[in-house]
Amino acid sequence: MQHLVDTNDLSDIQLQQLLNDAAHFKAQRPPQLLKDKLLITLFFEPSTRTRSSFEVAAKRLGASVVHLDPSRSSTKKGESLEDTFANLCAMGPDGVIIRHENNSAPGLLANMQMTSVINAGAGNYAHPTQALLDLFTIHEHFKGDIQGKRIAIVGDIANSRVASSGIRLFKRIGLDVVLVAPQPFMPQESTLPQYEHLEDVIENVDIVMSLRAQLERHAKPIFDDYEEYAKHYCITKERLQERNILLLHPGPVMRNIDISDQMLDDPRCKVLEQVKNGVFLRMAVLKLLLLDS
Ligand code: NCD
């Protein structure tokens, strides 16, 4: 039984296979590979892209999907996460896709070894399928030539599970990662190069990944005025000029704080391509965990 708690659960061969499978699924509508499989989605935090992307991916491969809304479940009556999970597992799913505010929740459930557990975002620590779809988008854009390409991650890095999973995966596959953030958004323990302003590094950057301020994870407000923050960190045409830079964002984008309206319409911005690629990458993940492992 294989789980996807973070990308380090994947061997190098599996990582390559995911990129290949996702590319095949994108090129050609996939067959109903998961026709007899059942997945349950269990999302304890809000989601637009990730949940629907997993559901679309599963259904495109012929699997059935059942969604449990914890705000209307026995969690509200005090049932523990482990008990809720064990009860769902008693119904015989082939996998449970979970999003939770605790960093350790997916790992805890995976260790129960009852069904394949897929992490759809946990706390501020891991969001492996987002990291994988970002890698797929980068790999596709540079036609596989990604060794040594430099990615600047810009925004609330300290509180972002997208940044945290992404940094681990990008370093592993040989991208050069630099961090751009105001001091309160900079991870304290990181040894990666840190810059306060994008202007200090922009000349030598191939990819910019912009991130939303994770307001729901701030114990108290960090900035009172995000318009002031945007003056320094919003990705605008003035900042990027005509440079050949791939612009990414996991969504939801705070318009004109993270990325300007104008840049969202710029062909260098691949935010919707990331969403599109997310479906193909998640198809590849489901195939790997449910069929190949
Ligand atoms: C992110 C998340 O929930 O971690 N969204 C996503 O899954 N695409 C990022 C965010 O909420 O800022």
Side-chain angles (χ1 to χ4, degrees):
M1 183 182 303
Q2 187 166 354
H3 309 287
L4 182 60
V5 173
D6 199 12
T7 52
N8 54 13
D9 290 333
L10 301 165
S11 67
D12 288 345
I13 291 171
Q14 288 176 323
L15 197 51
Q16 196 53 52
Q17 189 191 328
L18 286 179
L19 296 177
N20 292 344
D21 282 348
H24 284 137
F25 292 149
K26 189 169 183 177
Q28 200 164 26
R29 215 185 157 86
Q32 305 270 294
L33 294 173
L34 302 182
K35 204 154 71 66
D36 303 315
K37 305 290 185 187
L38 171 67
L39 287 155
I40 298 181
T41 55
L42 179 57
F43 276 59
F44 289 86
E45 285 189 338
S47 171
T48 301
R49 279 150 290 271
T50 306
R51 181 183 150 197
S52 47
S53 179
F54 267 114
E55 290 194 18
V56 171
K59 287 181 178 177
R60 287 257 193 261
L61 291 173
S64 308
V65 184
V66 169
H67 176 64
L68 178 74
D69 177 358
S71 68
R72 294 167 196 270
S73 76
S74 289
T75 306
K76 285 274 157 213
K77 302 178 192 166
E79 188 173 59
S80 73
L81 173 65
E82 292 94 320
D83 283 340
T84 301
F85 177 72
N87 278 269
L88 293 177
C89 289
M91 300 176 204
D94 297 284
V96 169
I97 299 164
I98 176 163
R99 168 168 286 197
H100 201 278
E101 61 273 19
N102 289 344
N103 290 2
S104 55
L108 184 84
L109 302 185
N111 285 339
M112 291 167 72
Q113 295 296 353
M114 298 181 84
T115 192
S116 211
V117 172
I118 304 170
N119 180 358
N124 66 1
Y125 183 68
H127 193 349
T129 58
Q130 182 68 45
L132 289 163
L133 79 87
D134 292 340
L135 173 61
F136 178 64
T137 306
I138 294 167
H139 195 268
E140 181 180 54
H141 180 82
F142 292 104
K143 302 186 171 54
D145 179 22
I146 58 174
Q147 281 300 313
K149 291 277 185 298
R150 179 172 291 167
I151 179 167
I153 304 182
V154 182
D156 187 2
I157 304 163
N159 298 292
S160 166
R161 55 194 173 208
V162 174
S164 165
S165 264
I167 289 169
R168 286 190 288 280
L169 183 64
F170 301 156
K171 279 170 57 183
R172 170 176 169 189
I173 53 98
L175 287 181
D176 182 7
V177 186
V178 303
L179 311 182
V180 179
Q183 196 271 329
F185 284 175
M186 198 60 97
Q188 297 312 312
E189 66 293 354
S190 177
T191 55
L192 292 168
Q194 303 187 353
Y195 297 88
E196 197 171 341
H197 296 112
L198 191 54
E199 286 72 10
D200 300 338
V201 70
I202 188 101
E203 291 300 344
N204 300 309
V205 156
D206 304 290
I207 308 152
V208 166
M209 176 187 280
S210 166
L211 297 172
R212 177 180 72 91
Q214 304 283 303
L215 302 177
E216 68 277 27
R217 282 183 237 292
H218 300 166
K220 55 181 179 14
I222 294 184
F223 295 109
D224 296 331
D225 182 0
Y226 274 89
E227 282 180 18
E228 190 53 37
Y229 165 87
K231 281 188 198 150
H232 301 282
Y233 296 99
C234 183
I235 310 300
T236 58
K237 186 93 189 237
E238 293 69 44
R239 238 173 217 122
L240 248 51
Q241 297 176 10
E242 297 308 320
R243 295 183 185 94
N244 183 14
I245 286 177
L246 171 65
L247 176 57
L248 304 176
H249 191 299
V253 178
M254 297 296 106
R255 278 179 175 266
N256 302 310
I257 293 175
D258 304 343
I259 303 178
S260 68
D261 285 340
Q262 188 185 20
M263 276 314 298
L264 282 167
D265 290 335
D266 189 287
R268 290 171 287 178
C269 177
K270 299 292 180 197
V271 170
L272 293 180
E273 196 64 23
Q274 286 172 273
V275 176
K276 182 173 178 176
N277 286 341
V279 173
F280 302 117
L281 190 282
R282 291 187 173 103
M283 284 182 190
V285 165
L286 295 176
K287 170 179 173 279
L288 177 75
L289 299 187
L290 271 50
L291 277 192
D292 301 341
S293 302

